[in-house]
Amino acid sequence: MRAVPADALLAALAAVDAGLQLDDHTPLELALSAAACAALVVRRRFPLAVFLLSLPAALFSSVVVVPLAALYTLAARSRNRRLLVGCAIASALASALPWPLSEYAEDDRFWTFVDFVYLLATAAAPVFLGQLVQAGRDAADRLAEVEEAREHERRLHAQSVVARERAQLAREMHDVVAHQVSLIAVRAGALQVGAKDTETREAARAIRGLSVTTLDELRHMVALLRASGGRTAEPAAQPTLADLRQLIDTSGIEITLTGELPSGIGAPAERAVYRTVQEALTNVRKHAPGATTVCLWREDDGLGVTVLNTPPTRPLLELPGSRVGLIGLGERAENLAGSFEAGPTSDGGYGVRLCLPATTD
């Protein structure tokens, strides 16, 4: 938009220049000169057409602004060198030839040639300037492309660094955690076979089952960490409400499951409910082993799960806790436009409540 006033100003300047050069003019000469001056307003869109309109004005009088501006614009936008050379020669020839041609005398040939040479040098100036501007524009574009390529290379390097770190973390998890959990599973299996009383065998069986499940989930996490940064990977098997009963049966805790949720509530909601119950039962085993109630509920405006446990009925296990799991559950609920609450109850127990919109997909 800023170019329009500049072009209009240039056209006005060219009109003043043409008016000063036209002494005894005919209506045709005046019309062609006016058309050439007015065409400078659209010189950026039609550079070749504007230059061709400038030739009559250069032939009729010694105008300067119109041919030079037209040549510069054409040179700044055209890459055809032969066309530019021809246009420069045509402009110099139109300015050098006397008008009207009927008054041309043989004695004027020498001075006409001299004028042509000087005018050709003058016409070459806007051509060179336009080509220089075009070259600067091309250089700026190349520089922008180089900078973009460097930025892309930096991003690829950063992604490769992250990928290496993820792969290293995956190896550490596999070598350390998997080894320890495998030992737990083996010891639990040996205890299950060698134990004499039923309660010990059942506890060993539950420990071995949990260890196997943990190893399976660990394999999925290792595969996720090893996935490349450009692709997203999901664990092979995402938990659903159908897996909730198995989670409760293998928890090793006295749990009462009540209520139910309708089918078709969406995979994200099912995973949120499952992970909430899983984290709550993990905290119960770690910090408050006792009777626990898992209640699935559905209301008019929402659905969710509530996990309540009584005060500890058995000795506590001295296991570390960072509340990272609860924070993650809160973030998961927030992503689903729901809410998450966790805190002690009035009877000394602990409660966890997840609420999700009924329309969660």
Side-chain angles (χ1 to χ4, degrees), residues 135-280:
R137 201 161 48 232
D138 293 342
D141 293 339
R142 298 295 183 274
L143 184 61
E145 292 176 0
V146 170
E147 185 62 27
E148 183 179 356
R150 288 180 177 176
E151 181 63 26
H152 180 65
E153 184 179 355
R154 285 193 290 267
R155 288 197 299 268
L156 290 179
H157 177 69
Q159 291 177 2
S160 65
V161 172
V162 172
R164 287 196 299 269
E165 292 178 351
R166 286 157 59 103
Q168 182 178 1
L169 180 59
R171 288 192 298 269
E172 293 294 330
M173 289 181 61
H174 182 270
D175 295 342
V176 178
V177 181
H179 175 70
Q180 300 294 338
V181 176
S182 299
L183 288 179
I184 295 175
V186 171
R187 294 295 182 88
L191 180 61
Q192 181 182 358
V193 174
K196 296 182 179 180
D197 58 294
T198 305
E199 183 177 355
T200 302
R201 286 198 301 270
E202 191 65 23
R205 184 189 65 80
I207 294 173
R208 187 174 184 278
L210 288 174
S211 301
V212 172
T213 303
T214 301
L215 282 174
D216 187 51
E217 292 188 1
L218 180 62
R219 282 195 296 270
H220 296 326
M221 292 185 64
V222 169
L224 178 63
L225 286 173
R226 284 177 174 172
S228 64
R231 301 190 301 270
T232 56
E234 289 290 337
Q238 289 293 330
T240 63
L241 291 178
D243 303 316
L244 197 57
R245 171 53 65 180
Q246 180 182 3
L247 175 66
I248 292 176
D249 293 341
T250 58
S251 64
I253 307 173
E254 181 185 350
I255 300 175
T256 302
L257 177 63
T258 61
E260 62 180 8
L261 292 176
S263 59
I265 64 173
E270 290 191 17
R271 287 197 295 269
V273 171
Y274 182 92
R275 295 304 184 191
T276 299
V277 175
Q278 184 182 45
E279 179 65 21

Side-chain angles (χ1 to χ4, degrees), residues 1-14 40-41 43-44 69:
M1 296 301 291
R2 295 179 179 179
V4 175
D7 291 341
L9 181 61
L10 181 62
L13 180 62
L40 290 178
V41 177
R43 63 190 177 93
R44 302 175 192 272

Side-chain angles (χ1 to χ4, degrees), residues 41-345:
V41 177
V42 293
R43 63 190 177 93
R44 302 175 192 272
R45 297 184 59 185
F46 309 104
L48 182 58
V50 172
F51 170 76
L52 294 177
L53 283 175
S54 72
L55 292 180
L59 182 63
F60 297 151
S61 62
S62 301
V63 292
V64 177
V65 177
V66 171
L68 293 184
L71 268 178
Y72 165 77
T73 305
L74 181 62
R77 282 162 171 74
S78 176
R79 299 182 183 276
N80 191 335
R81 300 293 176 81
R82 294 182 179 180
L83 174 64
L84 295 178
V85 171
C87 290
I89 294 174
S91 178
L93 187 61
S95 298
L97 286 176
W99 183 260
L101 295 177
S102 59
E103 299 179 359
Y104 181 72
E106 293 185 0
D107 296 339
D108 296 333
R109 289 181 179 179
F110 175 76
W111 294 111
T112 300
F113 177 75
V114 172
D115 289 342
F116 171 75
V117 173
Y118 279 102
L119 290 171
L120 182 60
T122 303
V127 173
F128 289 146
L129 181 60
Q131 289 286 282
L132 181 62
V133 171
Q134 185 182 116
R137 201 161 48 232
D138 293 342
D141 293 339
R142 298 295 183 274
L143 184 61
E145 292 176 0
V146 170
E147 185 62 27
E148 183 179 356
R150 288 180 177 176
E151 181 63 26
H152 180 65
E153 184 179 355
R154 285 193 290 267
R155 288 197 299 268
L156 290 179
H157 177 69
Q159 291 177 2
S160 65
V161 172
V162 172
R164 287 196 299 269
E165 292 178 351
R166 286 157 59 103
Q168 182 178 1
L169 180 59
R171 288 192 298 269
E172 293 294 330
M173 289 181 61
H174 182 270
D175 295 342
V176 178
V177 181
H179 175 70
Q180 300 294 338
V181 176
S182 299
L183 288 179
I184 295 175
V186 171
R187 294 295 182 88
L191 180 61
Q192 181 182 358
V193 174
K196 296 182 179 180
D197 58 294
T198 305
E199 183 177 355
T200 302
R201 286 198 301 270
E202 191 65 23
R205 184 189 65 80
I207 294 173
R208 187 174 184 278
L210 288 174
S211 301
V212 172
T213 303
T214 301
L215 282 174
D216 187 51
E217 292 188 1
L218 180 62
R219 282 195 296 270
H220 296 326
M221 292 185 64
V222 169
L224 178 63
L225 286 173
R226 284 177 174 172
S228 64
R231 301 190 301 270
T232 56
E234 289 290 337
Q238 289 293 330
T240 63
L241 291 178
D243 303 316
L244 197 57
R245 171 53 65 180
Q246 180 182 3
L247 175 66
I248 292 176
D249 293 341
T250 58
S251 64
I253 307 173
E254 181 185 350
I255 300 175
T256 302
L257 177 63
T258 61
E260 62 180 8
L261 292 176
S263 59
I265 64 173
E270 290 191 17
R271 287 197 295 269
V273 171
Y274 182 92
R275 295 304 184 191
T276 299
V277 175
Q278 184 182 45
E279 179 65 21
L281 297 184
T282 299
N283 290 337
V284 168
R285 285 195 299 267
K286 290 167 57 177
H287 306 298
T292 305
T293 301
V294 177
C295 177
L296 303 175
W297 51 269
R298 169 72 185 268
E299 297 177 353
D300 295 337
D301 58 346
L303 55 88
V305 61
T306 302
V307 182
L308 297 173
N309 64 280
T310 62
T313 58
R314 287 177 292 172
L316 298 179
L317 296 176
E318 296 297 332
L319 297 175
S322 61
R323 298 184 62 87
V324 174
L326 296 180
I327 295 175
L329 293 179
E331 294 175 349
R332 185 189 292 268
E334 184 178 355
N335 291 336
L336 296 176
S339 61
F340 175 78
E341 300 175 357
T345 59

